[in-house]
Amino acid sequence: MDELSSFQYSLVYNAFSFTFAAMAATTLFLWISRSQVAPKYKTAVTISGLVCAIAAYHYFRIFESWEAAYVVEGGRVIASGLAFNDAYRYVDWLLTVPLLLIELVLVMGLSRSETVSKSTKLGLAAALMIVLGYPGEIADDNTTRAIWGTLSTIPFLYIVYELFSGLGSSIANQHEGVRKLLKQARLLTFASWGFYPIVYMAPFIGLTGATAETTIQIGYTIADLVAKAVVGVLIYLIAVRKSAIESTIADERETAKEALPV
Amino acid sequence: MDELSSFQYSLVYNAFSFTFAAMAATTLFLWISRSQVAPKYKTAVTISGLVCAIAAYHYFRIFESWEAAYVVEGGRVIASGLAFNDAYRYVDWLLTVPLLLIELVLVMGLSRSETVSKSTKLGLAAALMIVLGYPGEIADDNTTRAIWGTLSTIPFLYIVYELFSGLGSSIANQHEGVRKLLKQARLLTFASWGFYPIVYMAPFIGLTGATAETTIQIGYTIADLVAKAVVGVLIYLIAVRKSAIESTIADERETAKEALPV
């Protein structure tokens, strides 16, 4: 990555600025709109906003690190000697990935004991997945990378199992008005996460150089936007709809009670 | 654009600073005033503020990029060698243009299915319009510019058709107290958007150099102020008026019910 084309440099530069703006905007939207959901779902919306706020902070840092890593000289974009700090991504994920799973659990509105147990199990598994992936990410040789990558896959598979088996039966018990949205949120979470291991494996297939670097940065950015901002808005929509459904049911019960002969 | 007159440089510089202040102020006004509209219209006002917040961020960046792109030496304003990053505008539009259409749909207060279907169709068409315009904007030759410009016109025409035909019948069904305001919001949206293709076509008629650059930047700035801040305040006024009208109607119904012989 000693030299990028001017187009590649600008594309990544603008994608980082875009993502900072999109994450910050989604944060504000979620926190302002939080007043529109029932108390039961407020924490899910608060955390969805928090995930986007943490991502906005890290994209601001990533943007500045990218700017510092290259200098433009006579139309050429060359490495400045300062390394682009990709570790910001791991630091971000260590905070946001457990929270992403917790927001999904919270919006389901399960019993308190189920919420605590599922949040703890999924949150710890997510943190473990990130921690185990990092030594491989910074390793110089592909063998070390493969070992830590494989270890990191174990909690990942456990999360996928929990999302589709454990949470699957809970989704089946949800009101039909939100079941489709919940499945979409789960699918988007899973699909966007699927991108990260692909990038992790890029060095194994000899994917290096300026084009690879550009593709990887744009790919991570799209995956983060889907996993955090798009899923966050979906969580909000689910919370709004569940609040409306539950208040209608409560109203109907109230009316039915009033109609009873005293 | 190797050299601007001192007047041209300052005019654009001050216009960018003005627009940052105006967008940030409108954001704060809309978010603070959000508590004064009925729950049904809160999201429309939240999103109107969000559009101005995203624009404020980008005008801050545009301002800084403009400052970095020129150096003042002995009374002359010459290019510093760092390119002025016009891409911030496209990045901004990619986020704000779909949201602008969505705020217009939301303030209409249509049924949920109509709101979802119109927001999705208009939002996607708007994003497609921006994405198709960008390769032309950065192209060096006028043929490529013309091809992408033409492709971008297709979703634009679809949006105009939807605004005047699809939304037209919905506007006709609105209370007469807000019909005029809604038509104004729609007209301002359409009229301010009309400026962008004119600027896009500037290179075709040989419009280049310092005067053209100044005209284009001032023109974009005025168009953005109208499309985002002025339309945002209109959306708020419509929301306030509809909230008042609907609460009066609800009160009258309540009174009529009480007046019935038991």
Side-chain angles (χ1 to χ4, degrees):
Chain A
M1 273 89 68
D2 283 348
E3 188 164 345
L4 293 176
S5 80
S6 177
F7 173 76
Q8 289 170 332
Y9 174 74
S10 303
L11 183 70
V12 175
Y13 181 97
N14 290 314
F16 288 164
S17 177
F18 172 86
T19 308
F20 165 75
M23 293 291 190
T26 312
T27 304
L28 293 169
F29 174 77
L30 292 170
W31 285 347
I32 292 172
S33 305
R34 184 179 167 278
S35 64
Q36 277 153 278
V37 306
K40 195 174 166 185
Y41 301 113
K42 282 196 198 294
T43 309
V45 177
T46 307
I47 293 183
S48 303
L50 207 56
V51 164
C52 294
I54 296 168
Y57 164 73
H58 285 114
Y59 269 92
F60 186 79
R61 287 268 185 216
I62 288 172
F63 175 86
E64 293 209 312
S65 176
W66 182 259
E67 220 179 355
Y70 295 94
V71 273
V72 184
E73 272 176 13
R76 290 175 62 215
V77 182
I78 49 177
S80 69
L82 276 172
F84 173 60
N85 185 12
D86 232 358
Y88 282 131
R89 297 200 179 278
Y90 274 81
V91 174
D92 178 82
W93 296 335
L94 190 56
L95 279 165
T96 55
V97 173
L99 290 175
L100 275 170
L101 293 173
I102 291 171
E103 73 188 45
L104 197 58
V105 171
L106 284 175
V107 86
M108 309 269 290
L110 307 173
S111 73
R112 178 177 295 169
S113 62
E114 265 185 301
T115 302
V116 171
S117 111
K118 282 197 197 300
S119 296
T120 313
K121 279 193 285 185
L122 285 168
L124 286 178
L128 192 64
M129 171 176 82
I130 307 297
V131 167
L132 289 173
Y134 189 64
E137 181 69 57
I138 55 165
D140 287 327
D141 62 303
N142 278 353
T143 315
T144 315
R145 197 178 183 88
I147 293 169
W148 290 104
T150 309
L151 288 175
S152 173
T153 308
I154 302 167
F156 175 69
L157 290 177
Y158 168 74
I159 293 168
V160 173
Y161 168 77
E162 271 292 331
L163 280 182
F164 285 86
S165 158
L167 280 189
S169 51
S170 308
I171 290 178
N173 291 331
Q174 299 277 317
H175 191 280
E176 56 173 345
V178 293
R179 225 178 285 152
K180 211 179 126 196
L181 280 176
L182 275 167
K183 282 187 182 162
Q184 281 175 353
R186 179 179 66 177
L187 186 65
L188 278 182
T189 303
F190 172 67
S192 56
W193 288 19
F195 185 78
Y196 303 109
I198 296 174
V199 173
Y200 191 86
M201 287 183 285
F204 295 114
I205 52 166
L207 210 61
T208 52
T211 308
E213 176 69 3
T214 309
T215 312
I216 286 173
Q217 294 306 330
I218 297 293
Y220 270 149
T221 302
I222 295 172
D224 274 345
L225 279 169
V226 173
K228 289 161 185 162
V230 177
V231 169
V233 172
L234 265 181
I235 296 283
Y236 165 71
L237 290 177
I238 293 166
V240 166
R241 204 166 291 185
K242 289 186 82 172
S243 306
I245 291 168
E246 285 161 23
S247 115
T248 312
I249 293 173
D251 280 356
E252 278 165 6
R253 276 204 198 122
E254 202 59 38
T255 317
K257 229 194 266 171
E258 277 168 18
L260 285 178
V262 187
Chain B
M1 273 87 67
D2 282 350
E3 188 164 346
L4 294 176
S5 80
S6 179
F7 171 75
Q8 290 170 330
Y9 175 73
S10 303
L11 183 69
V12 175
Y13 182 97
N14 290 314
F16 288 164
S17 178
F18 172 86
T19 308
F20 166 74
M23 293 292 190
T26 312
T27 305
L28 293 171
F29 172 76
L30 291 170
W31 284 347
I32 293 171
S33 306
R34 182 179 168 277
S35 62
Q36 278 154 276
V37 307
K40 196 175 166 187
Y41 301 112
K42 281 194 198 296
T43 308
V45 177
T46 306
I47 292 184
S48 302
L50 207 57
V51 164
C52 294
I54 296 168
Y57 165 71
H58 285 113
Y59 269 91
F60 186 79
R61 287 266 185 217
I62 288 172
F63 174 87
E64 293 209 312
S65 177
W66 182 259
E67 219 179 356
Y70 295 94
V71 273
V72 184
E73 272 176 13
R76 291 174 63 215
V77 182
I78 50 177
S80 69
L82 274 173
F84 172 61
N85 186 11
D86 232 356
Y88 282 130
R89 298 201 178 278
Y90 274 81
V91 172
D92 177 81
W93 297 335
L94 190 55
L95 280 167
T96 55
V97 173
L99 291 176
L100 275 169
L101 293 172
I102 291 171
E103 72 188 45
L104 198 59
V105 170
L106 283 175
V107 87
M108 309 272 288
L110 309 172
S111 72
R112 177 181 293 168
S113 62
E114 266 184 300
T115 303
V116 171
S117 112
K118 283 197 197 299
S119 297
T120 313
K121 279 193 285 183
L122 286 168
L124 286 178
L128 192 64
M129 173 177 81
I130 306 297
V131 167
L132 289 174
Y134 189 63
E137 181 70 56
I138 56 165
D140 288 326
D141 61 304
N142 278 352
T143 315
T144 315
R145 197 177 183 86
I147 292 169
W148 289 104
T150 309
L151 288 174
S152 174
T153 308
I154 301 167
F156 174 68
L157 291 176
Y158 168 74
I159 292 168
V160 174
Y161 167 79
E162 271 290 331
L163 280 181
F164 286 87
S165 157
L167 279 190
S169 51
S170 307
I171 290 180
N173 291 331
Q174 299 276 317
H175 192 281
E176 55 175 346
V178 292
R179 225 178 283 151
K180 214 179 123 197
L181 280 176
L182 274 168
K183 282 186 182 164
Q184 282 174 353
R186 179 180 65 177
L187 186 65
L188 277 181
T189 303
F190 172 66
S192 56
W193 288 20
F195 184 78
Y196 303 109
I198 297 173
V199 173
Y200 190 87
M201 287 183 287
F204 294 116
I205 51 167
L207 210 62
T208 52
T211 309
E213 175 70 4
T214 309
T215 312
I216 286 173
Q217 293 306 330
I218 298 293
Y220 271 149
T221 302
I222 295 172
D224 273 346
L225 279 168
V226 173
K228 289 162 185 158
V230 178
V231 169
V233 172
L234 266 181
I235 296 284
Y236 166 71
L237 291 176
I238 294 166
V240 165
R241 203 167 291 184
K242 289 186 81 171
S243 304
I245 292 168
E246 284 161 24
S247 115
T248 312
I249 293 173
D251 281 356
E252 278 165 6
R253 274 206 199 121
E254 202 58 38
T255 317
K257 229 194 265 169
E258 278 167 17
L260 283 178
V262 189

